[in-house]
Amino acid sequence: MEFSYVPIVLSLKVAFAAVIIVTCSSIPIAALMAKREFFGKDVVESIITLPLVLPPSVIGFMLLYVFGKNGPLGKLFEQWFHTRIVFTLAGAVIAAAVVAFPLMYQSVKVAIENVDQNLEKAARTLGAGELRVFFTITLPLALNGIVAGLVLAFARSLGEFGATLMIAGNIPGKTQTMPIAIYFANEAGDTGQASILVIIMTIFSFLVIYGLNRWGKGSRRDSRGGGA
């Protein structure tokens, strides 16, 4: 069977879209959780990080319940936008974003908590408002954690399988990402296609983690004054 590059392209589209969603949502939530105390905070944080420990099939079932034809958000999308989420690339993006969100959230939250509060207080003393303090002091100092979370979220989105299969299905050329293509190629006895995709995913994942490690080491050297 002729090798198809479509699952690679679809996986990259899903991963990039999921990372954009996760980045835009996790940073303000992580900042709120790191800086504020409120009743029920532990419960909220447990819910946020739940996808880290739940089996992907459970996450997929929950997403089907919410975004299915009779689900609350599924009905909303049908009525307002005349579109559906289940068995579409949008469903794959949502599944990837849900499973990747806790990784990004945890990394950003820890990074923000480790920012020197004296620097933030000094900026406020000089008249800077909370938003200015956040964007000019907190975020730049938490950049390493944000980048680390972004890379991990991208890698997790790229490799998502279980939840994606349940909500997006296996539709070649439409929702068949690399992990799904590997599984069904192996089931069909097409070990050539599966092997090539496994090699590509392994190499790509290695390069992502290797690049993150190298960037982290470079950032630490810079923070120490160029290794002097």
Side-chain angles (χ1 to χ4, degrees):
M1 185 179 293
E2 185 180 352
F3 178 76
S4 174
Y5 290 93
V6 175
I8 302 173
V9 176
L10 289 178
S11 289
L12 290 173
K13 286 182 178 180
V14 168
F16 278 116
V19 165
I20 291 173
I21 294 172
V22 166
T23 302
C24 293
S25 58
S26 64
I27 292 178
I29 294 175
L32 174 66
M33 298 296 286
K35 298 293 186 180
R36 296 287 185 269
E37 294 294 332
F38 54 88
F39 178 76
K41 179 178 177 180
D42 290 339
V43 175
V44 173
E45 188 153 38
S46 297
I47 294 172
I48 290 174
T49 56
L50 199 57
L52 281 176
V53 295
L54 281 177
S57 57
V58 174
I59 297 173
F61 179 84
M62 291 179 176
L63 291 175
L64 273 177
Y65 179 82
V66 174
F67 291 98
K69 186 176 181 180
N70 297 317
L73 292 183
K75 287 182 180 179
L76 186 148
F77 274 90
E78 287 275 2
Q79 294 172 1
W80 288 14
F81 306 106
H82 304 290
T83 187
R84 63 175 185 171
I85 299 299
V86 177
F87 301 128
T88 66
L89 197 63
V93 172
I94 291 172
V98 168
V99 298
F101 180 88
L103 291 172
M104 182 71 177
Y105 165 79
Q106 291 280 28
S107 184
V108 175
K109 180 172 176 284
V110 170
I112 291 176
E113 286 176 338
N114 288 332
V115 171
D116 189 348
Q117 293 186 11
N118 291 325
L119 296 175
E120 296 175 325
K121 291 177 181 177
R124 294 188 189 98
T125 301
L126 295 173
E130 289 300 320
L131 281 179
R132 187 173 181 183
V133 170
F134 182 72
F135 284 106
T136 61
I137 304 295
T138 309
L139 273 187
L141 292 177
L143 182 60
N144 285 354
I146 294 172
V147 172
L150 192 151
V151 172
L152 291 174
F154 180 81
R156 182 67 184 86
S157 300
L158 196 67
E160 167 51 31
F161 171 74
T164 302
L165 182 60
M166 290 194 70
I167 190 173
N170 175 42
I171 306 175
K174 188 176 180 182
T175 66
Q176 190 185 67
T177 56
M178 276 195 286
I180 295 174
I182 290 170
Y183 177 81
F184 282 96
N186 183 65
E187 286 290 298
D190 187 2
T191 55
Q193 171 98 351
S195 298
I196 294 173
L197 289 174
V198 165
I199 292 170
I200 292 173
M201 280 207 69
T202 302
I203 293 174
F204 192 86
S205 299
F206 171 81
L207 291 175
V208 167
I209 300 301
Y210 178 80
L212 175 61
N213 290 336
R214 295 289 297 177
W215 184 84
K217 289 181 179 179
S219 297
R220 287 193 293 271
R221 282 197 299 269
D222 291 341
S223 66
R224 292 194 299 263

